[in-house]
Amino acid sequence: MSDKQDRKLDRISHKTEVTARISETSRFVGFGMVAWVFAQHASGAPFAESYLSAFGPIVRVAGVLGVLAILFDYLQYIAAYFSVQQALKNGDDGYAFDHDGMVMKLQKGLFWAKQISAVASALIVVITFSLSINQPLSDVKPPEIDAEEVSG
């Protein structure tokens, strides 16, 4: 093989590795966002109550986007499966993928949809959490100190 061909194969290998990492990370972010939103809704802690009273609707949007990132990831794998099935039937053309076909376009679209969903969800949580840590927790009262326990 030529040096140019070796570099091309190296770039393809790198792209494959990066794409796999991006998919893994978006899945991780999606699950994390769902867990964050669930934890805030399930908690009776003053922070969670204050956070949700200030940002509840948008936080729920972050949860939905997290679920969509997970769903899009799964659907992308299904589209990839069918894309490979189509390529395996393309023996006359060296088993090449049909990059202009509907299944491949769907696979690529789902890849980008999961990225957008994961990033949007994470940005919502980062922004709302950042804004919420500057707000006082109105329901939190400092602990009362019993003078007898201190002196005693």
Side-chain angles (χ1 to χ4, degrees), residues 40-117:
Q40 297 312 304
H41 281 81
S43 175
F47 170 79
E49 290 176 2
S50 175
Y51 177 67
L52 290 175
S53 80
F55 303 106
I58 192 73
V59 169
R60 286 187 279 284
V61 169
V64 169
L65 288 168
V67 169
L68 286 175
I70 298 164
L71 178 64
F72 292 153
D73 183 59
Y74 179 73
L75 292 175
Q76 183 200 359
Y77 278 102
I78 291 174
Y81 170 82
F82 285 108
S83 184
V84 169
Q85 288 298 104
Q86 285 182 341
L88 290 173
K89 293 177 185 175
N90 192 10
D92 293 340
D93 197 17
Y95 302 102
F97 286 107
D98 180 8
H99 291 280
D100 295 323
M102 183 188 76
V103 177
M104 184 62 82
K105 287 180 181 180
L106 180 63
Q107 181 182 346
K108 290 176 184 178
L110 289 165
F111 174 82
W112 288 108
K114 74 180 170 182
Q115 303 320 307
I116 292 166
S117 297

Side-chain angles (χ1 to χ4, degrees), residues 8 12 21-22 63 70 92 95 97 110 123 133 135 148:
K8 180 179 180 181
I12 290 170
R21 295 283 183 189
I22 290 170
I70 298 164
D92 293 340
Y95 302 102
F97 286 107
L110 289 165
L123 283 174
I133 59 175
Q135 293 182 351
E148 290 179 19

Side-chain angles (χ1 to χ4, degrees), residues 102-151:
M102 183 188 76
V103 177
M104 184 62 82
K105 287 180 181 180
L106 180 63
Q107 181 182 346
K108 290 176 184 178
L110 289 165
F111 174 82
W112 288 108
K114 74 180 170 182
Q115 303 320 307
I116 292 166
S117 297
V119 168
S121 179
L123 283 174
I124 288 169
V125 169
V126 166
I127 291 168
T128 58
F129 179 72
S130 297
L131 293 171
S132 70
I133 59 175
N134 292 324
Q135 293 182 351
L137 299 176
S138 58
D139 296 338
V140 177
K141 297 176 185 169
E144 293 184 20
I145 299 174
D146 187 354
E148 290 179 19
E149 288 181 19
V150 173
S151 63

